[in-house]
Amino acid sequence: MAGEAGTGDCLAWAARDASGTLFPYRFTRRALRGDDVSLRITHCGVCYADVLWTRNKIGDSKYPLVPGHEIVGVVTATGSGVKDLRAGDHVGVGTYVNSCRECVYCNEFCEVFCSKGATFTFNGMDSDGTVTKGGYSSYIVVHERYCYKIPDGYPPDRAAPLLCAGITVYSPMMRHRMNQPGKSLGVIGLGGLGHLAVKFGKAFGLQVTVFSTSVSKKGEALDLLGADKFVISSNKQEMESLAKSLDFIIDTASGAHPFDPYMSLLKVHGVLVLVGFPGEVRLSPLSLLHGAKTISGSATGGTKETQEMLDFCAANKVYPEIEVIKIQDINEALDRLVNKDVKYRFVIDIANSLN
């Protein structure tokens, strides 16, 4: 690639500094170990985390930084100890690529909560002391435990967003038993996470109400995604008409917003799960005490649950809505993501554009 930096056999796009602008880059992956899988990357979803870390919004970015943790590809080689994967298998890699595999959380397949800290797919510290680099690259080497089989026939480009956005909403829905047909679900926000919450809700047989600040999303919420109701959250009358009507709410919104109005929509013992990042959560204690309601948080999920989600999506034809882009368009795509100009997830066609 013209103008690329670095040396090595792995082609990538990386941010060099906090401007977040990505450029062609080369580096070398670690050698294949006995329990490793090497996969040629075909697609990588674009998550808001890619914006946060390429632009050092968290304050711990290590440059050059190769983002991307919604990875789909094809196995090209396996270590001598790998039993369940073989060359030619279609697999995915999500938000983390290692954990201690010894603590109580790892033993329960909740590796994301590893007592010693899960190793994130990019900008994390790997066991060999190197900084992990993500899926905006030509291939990746990962311990087999953190690779997921993509079900036969499931489109690889649509599988990519499931590995972060999908499991982020699926995991709390399962934990809080939001898979009971006939129950009612509210979804706050209709972006990459929110549109998948709607799709899972309908696949579970729930009555789904979407809350948004933008009336322009009404048509797609009802007609494309299959929601049952659409409510403008700033309309006090519409909000009050739904008082004590919802069993569950998934809050995917990251902008500042009040919580008490939404808590008032929950039934007795209702649950609001926060998967967005609004900056702060402020609410009256009475919003919890009246009706014994719960507010909870969640972020991605364990390996066992992630594989179950992928299998569920294949069996129930749950497909993310995506816009496929070339790697050369990634800087524009990240700007568009910041401006909420995507329906509903960018996916990079690595196989046909990274060369």
Side-chain angles (χ1 to χ4, degrees), residues 20-64:
T21 302
L22 275 71
F23 299 90
Y25 173 67
R26 281 181 176 268
F27 66 100
T28 300
R29 295 282 187 189
R30 72 164 186 251
L32 193 72
R33 300 168 182 165
D35 48 11
D36 277 344
V37 174
S38 181
L39 58 133
R40 173 177 56 83
I41 298 173
T42 61
H43 298 87
C44 187
V46 179
C47 176
Y48 200 79
D50 302 346
V51 173
L52 294 177
W53 269 277
T54 55
R55 302 182 183 187
N56 200 26
K57 298 298 184 181
I58 306 300
D60 65 351
S61 297
K62 306 172 185 69
Y63 299 103

Side-chain angles (χ1 to χ4, degrees), residues 40-351:
R40 173 177 56 83
I41 298 173
T42 61
H43 298 87
C44 187
V46 179
C47 176
Y48 200 79
D50 302 346
V51 173
L52 294 177
W53 269 277
T54 55
R55 302 182 183 187
N56 200 26
K57 298 298 184 181
I58 306 300
D60 65 351
S61 297
K62 306 172 185 69
Y63 299 103
L65 189 150
V66 179
H69 60 201
E70 296 181 338
I71 302 167
V72 173
V74 179
V75 175
T76 57
T78 60
S80 59
V82 175
K83 297 179 180 179
D84 296 329
L85 295 171
R86 62 193 65 183
D89 284 349
H90 290 258
V91 296
V93 176
T95 61
Y96 53 95
V97 291
N98 209 349
S99 64
C100 77
R101 299 189 291 280
E102 297 175 346
C103 70
V104 61
Y105 302 111
C106 287
N107 288 336
E108 293 175 352
F109 297 99
C110 295
E111 299 92 339
V112 68
F113 304 121
C114 174
S115 295
K116 296 181 180 179
T119 301
F120 295 121
T121 303
F122 67 86
N123 201 58
M125 191 61 65
D126 211 345
S127 57
D128 61 0
T130 61
V131 177
T132 56
K133 292 178 169 57
Y136 292 17
S137 57
S138 55
Y139 79 99
I140 190 169
V141 177
V142 184
H143 187 286
E144 64 171 325
R145 179 161 174 167
Y146 311 95
C147 287
Y148 311 103
K149 290 185 178 180
I150 305 300
D152 291 343
Y154 198 93
D157 53 356
R158 294 184 184 268
L162 297 176
L163 295 161
C164 177
I167 189 59
T168 295
V169 293
Y170 180 89
S171 180
M173 292 181 84
M174 297 302 290
R175 186 182 319 123
H176 295 285
R177 300 181 64 235
M178 298 185 193
N179 59 342
Q180 303 173 65
K183 295 283 189 176
S184 53
L185 169 70
V187 177
I188 305 173
L190 198 61
L193 296 176
H195 95 284
L196 282 169
V198 174
K199 284 177 175 277
F200 281 127
K202 294 309 298 179
F204 290 143
L206 305 180
Q207 294 293 308
V208 179
T209 299
V210 171
F211 298 91
S212 176
T213 58
S214 176
V215 69
S216 64
K217 294 186 176 182
K218 181 175 182 178
E220 290 194 350
L222 299 176
D223 301 330
L224 174 65
L225 303 178
D228 300 284
K229 295 179 183 178
F230 182 89
V231 173
I232 297 296
S233 54
S234 59
N235 187 314
K236 186 176 180 180
Q237 184 175 0
E238 283 189 47
M239 292 286 285
E240 290 178 347
S241 71
L242 295 177
K244 301 178 181 179
S245 67
L246 301 176
D247 295 291
F248 316 108
I249 295 175
I250 292 188
D251 186 350
T252 73
S254 290
H257 57 282
F259 284 81
D260 291 306
Y262 290 109
M263 297 302 291
S264 72
L265 306 185
L266 289 171
K267 298 178 182 179
V268 171
H269 299 149
V271 178
L272 183 149
V273 176
L274 183 68
V275 295
F277 201 87
E280 66 174 356
V281 178
R282 299 184 64 183
L283 72 164
S284 167
L286 293 177
S287 290
L288 298 176
L289 298 175
H290 285 171
K293 299 169 186 177
T294 299
I295 184 168
S296 178
S298 192
T300 70
T303 55
K304 182 179 179 181
E305 195 170 46
T306 300
Q307 187 63 61
E308 290 174 354
M309 175 208 60
L310 290 166
D311 295 339
F312 177 87
C313 288
N316 293 275
K317 296 181 171 56
V318 176
Y319 302 113
E321 301 297 326
I322 63 173
E323 180 179 338
V324 179
I325 63 169
K326 298 177 181 179
I327 188 67
Q328 292 78 10
D329 297 326
I330 186 56
N331 289 309
E332 177 187 357
L334 291 173
D335 286 338
R336 286 179 56 192
L337 179 57
V338 170
N339 294 323
K340 301 180 181 180
D341 178 24
V342 55
K343 293 180 180 178
Y344 283 88
R345 201 73 161 181
F346 288 119
V347 175
I348 307 169
D349 184 352
I350 297 289

